[in-house]
Amino acid sequence: MPPDKVAEYADGLCYTDLMAGYYLGAPDEVLQAIADYSAWFFVWDDRHDRDVVHGRVKAWRQLRFRLHAALDAPAEHLHHRDPLVAGLADSAGRLFSFLPGTWGARFTRHFHAVIEAYDREFRNRLEGRVPGVDEYLALRRLTFAHWIWTDLLEPSAGCELPDPVRKHPAYRRAAVLSQEFAAWYNDLCSLPKEIAGDEVHNLGISLITHEGLTLEEAVEELRRRVEECISEFLVVEQDVLRLADRLDDGTVHGKELGAAVRTCLANMRNWFSSVYWFHHESGRYMVDSWDDRSTPPYVNNEAAGEK
């Protein structure tokens, strides 16, 4: 975005506001790092989209490999000539500083998988291939970065959760539901833009293409799935609270662990309201006010050397 478009649109996109509503209670430096990373993620998503639209296969492949490298060695890429690569290096380095290296290794592993999922999206879009519903749902969990946003609950709570807690069925299910809600609500709100842009990655588009649903039926199915996420979360939330109570066994460590689980769970709950608010306040989804419903007005092709 050139300076004039930043001044006109950046605040209205509400990228950092979304994170501020999700990771409540995080120390200021943690919240700032997460908010910056979130803003970076949206910019990366837009670059990916422009590379697809303009068929820049070589540019995307180069960016993909550079992002993998920056993730593995952030300090070595802080001054990379591509601001997107340098931005990931800066964000990753800051995020890694809050918790032990085991947390950073997990985050790194999860984000490598996200980059590769974006590459699968790139190829699907070039080929005009709409994935089936099950394939799409599995891919969406990666491109929406379910486990990244869940990982970031821990530095917000100031505690790396041990594997038995993170992998506990109730905790894991609550985390998945908060993220499925977000991904599917995003699909619902971005469906007009993505249909206009001949996109292939949207649950609604998969339902229309592979299940034979009409547009109206697909929208209704998306709404049903979103509502089910809310209902099921309210049930499993109680199981996680009971887990937190069991962890709080009277020891100092148990008390800290129980409190961290409660904080992470509360912020999973916050994800629902924050995502809902974001999609109705951010200029990213106000397609009815755009001249071209497929292209956000803040995207400037000339600034990226595109014609």
Side-chain angles (χ1 to χ4, degrees):
M1 297 169 67
D4 62 322
K5 286 190 177 285
V6 171
E8 185 175 358
Y9 291 107
D11 285 347
L13 294 175
C14 302
Y15 293 160
T16 54
D17 305 70
L18 172 65
M19 295 296 109
Y22 184 18
Y23 299 101
L24 293 181
D28 287 349
E29 65 273 16
V30 174
L31 185 57
Q32 185 66 63
I34 294 173
D36 290 347
Y37 171 73
S38 170
W40 174 89
F41 203 111
F42 280 108
V43 173
W44 175 47
D45 187 73
D46 286 338
R47 170 85 75 86
H48 176 266
D49 177 68
R50 293 296 91 190
D51 281 348
V52 172
V53 168
H54 294 276
R56 298 193 303 237
V57 176
K58 182 179 179 181
W60 164 251
R61 184 185 302 116
Q62 186 177 64
L63 176 61
R64 170 189 164 204
F65 292 142
R66 286 174 174 173
L67 293 179
H68 279 305
L71 186 60
D72 284 333
E76 297 174 15
H77 293 80
L78 289 173
H79 304 290
H80 196 282
R81 65 180 180 274
D82 185 337
L84 204 62
V85 177
L88 176 60
D90 174 68
S91 290
R94 289 157 64 197
L95 291 171
F96 293 165
S97 70
F98 300 123
L99 290 177
T102 47
W103 182 91
R106 183 189 350 134
F107 180 97
T108 297
R109 183 174 70 253
H110 286 160
F111 198 66
H112 278 310
V114 171
I115 295 169
E116 287 305 292
Y118 263 72
D119 185 56
R120 292 201 294 279
E121 268 207 0
F122 187 90
R123 287 182 273 119
N124 282 343
R125 289 183 64 185
L126 282 186
E127 297 166 6
R129 177 180 174 274
V130 178
V133 173
D134 289 342
E135 179 188 352
Y136 171 75
L137 292 176
L139 181 62
R140 184 64 162 145
R141 291 184 184 108
L142 291 170
T143 57
F144 197 82
H146 281 26
W147 299 117
I148 290 294
W149 306 119
T150 302
D151 286 338
L152 289 169
L153 291 168
E154 294 169 58
S156 300
C159 177
E160 180 183 18
L161 298 179
D163 281 357
V165 174
R166 287 192 307 105
K167 296 180 180 180
H168 187 281
Y171 183 90
R172 190 174 179 88
R173 186 60 183 158
V176 167
L177 287 167
S178 74
Q179 293 301 306
E180 300 280 56
F181 168 86
W184 298 344
Y185 197 73
N186 176 266
D187 279 4
L188 181 63
C189 293
S190 61
L191 188 57
K193 172 174 75 78
E194 293 179 345
I195 288 177
D198 294 323
E199 244 282 21
V200 299
H201 294 105
N202 185 295
L203 180 53
I205 292 172
S206 287
L207 289 166
I208 292 167
T209 303
H210 294 285
E211 304 293 330
L213 272 61
T214 65
L215 174 60
E216 292 76 14
E217 290 169 339
V219 167
E220 187 58 34
E221 175 62 11
L222 277 166
R223 287 177 173 161
R224 185 190 68 78
R225 288 175 182 248
V226 163
E227 290 171 358
E228 280 192 353
C229 286
I230 299 169
S231 299
E232 188 178 347
F233 181 87
L234 292 173
V235 174
V236 77
E237 180 181 40
Q238 298 304 311
D239 295 331
V240 182
L241 288 173
R242 284 188 283 271
L243 170 64
D245 289 342
R246 290 195 299 274
L247 291 169
D248 190 352
D249 58 5
T251 66
V252 172
H253 176 68
K255 183 176 181 179
E256 291 176 347
L257 196 54
V261 169
R262 292 186 190 96
T263 297
C264 291
L265 178 66
N267 281 335
M268 290 178 199
R269 171 184 267 261
N270 289 337
W271 195 229
F272 292 87
S273 56
S274 188
V275 164
Y276 181 85
W277 174 87
F278 172 70
H279 282 85
H280 295 280
E281 293 295 328
S282 173
R284 190 175 180 88
Y285 305 101
M286 296 181 179
V287 298
D288 290 338
S289 66
W290 301 352
D291 292 334
D292 176 358
R293 288 168 63 87
S294 70
T295 306
Y298 58 82
V299 171
N300 187 314
N301 289 335
E302 296 293 326
E306 301 165 359
K307 301 295 183 183

